[in-house]
Amino acid sequence: MRVNLFITLGLMLSLGLLSACEKQEKSGANAPDPTILSLALKSAVGALKPKAKPVDPRKHLTREAIDKAGTPILFVGLDSRNAYATLSPFGENRGVVTWISSDGITLGYRGGLLVATRGLGPDLMAADTGQALAAVRSGSGSYVRIYDYLDGEDQAVRRSFVCSVKNKGSEVIEIYELKLTLRKVIESCSNPEFQIRNTYWISNRNRIRQSKQWIGPDVGYVFSQQLSR
């Protein structure tokens, strides 16, 4: 079955992907208005069923459309699922900015460091940024980080990691016609079970414009990129 996906940048709530063909065939309804956003991140993951073609919204976005969106845009990619989508900010609570898709999938960031996910299946319930945020911003430091999860029986699982940070110098990246010179910082964390390598690209105002961060052993890493200026 061919899956048609529509991209929209005109809504204030969020941006994402719309998978319409399969729903239309089942319900007999007319094709949905492409200006109605639906299923952002989860839609992209759902498109990865057998014989379905993965979708990358970056092929459809433009700098002009991003600038006219009227809301900040966060691009995210799940490498383990070959799934990609765009999200918009939902709110802020105690320094944690939550980005949301129209069907309620959320990613929470504190100062650009991932602290929680909801709706991805095996979710990260909470991550301690503790000393990590200051170390990442400064480009050096050693500390312990704690990640909390729920297992299949809804029991709390806590994983502790010993982490260290290194500044890898400047790197020029391009985000839709914006050339940015950013500091590249590597956060290496390990415990007896796992080794993690989080990567951050940081502006001179300590804004994390791009990152690749570990969610957990089931989902793997999420790549995120701030598309707005």
Side-chain angles (χ1 to χ4, degrees), residues 91-99 107-111 113 115-116:
E92 181 175 357
N93 183 24
R94 298 181 180 180
V96 176
V97 177
T98 299
W99 297 78
L107 302 176
Y109 291 86
R110 183 189 299 276
L113 270 63
V115 297

Side-chain angles (χ1 to χ4, degrees), residues 118 121-126 147-159 218:
R118 297 294 186 271
D123 280 302
L124 172 63
M125 302 307 295
Y147 290 74
D148 290 324
Y149 302 89
L150 289 180
D151 63 18
E153 298 180 352
D154 290 335
Q155 298 297 312
V157 176
R158 171 163 289 184
R159 293 187 172 96
D218 298 297

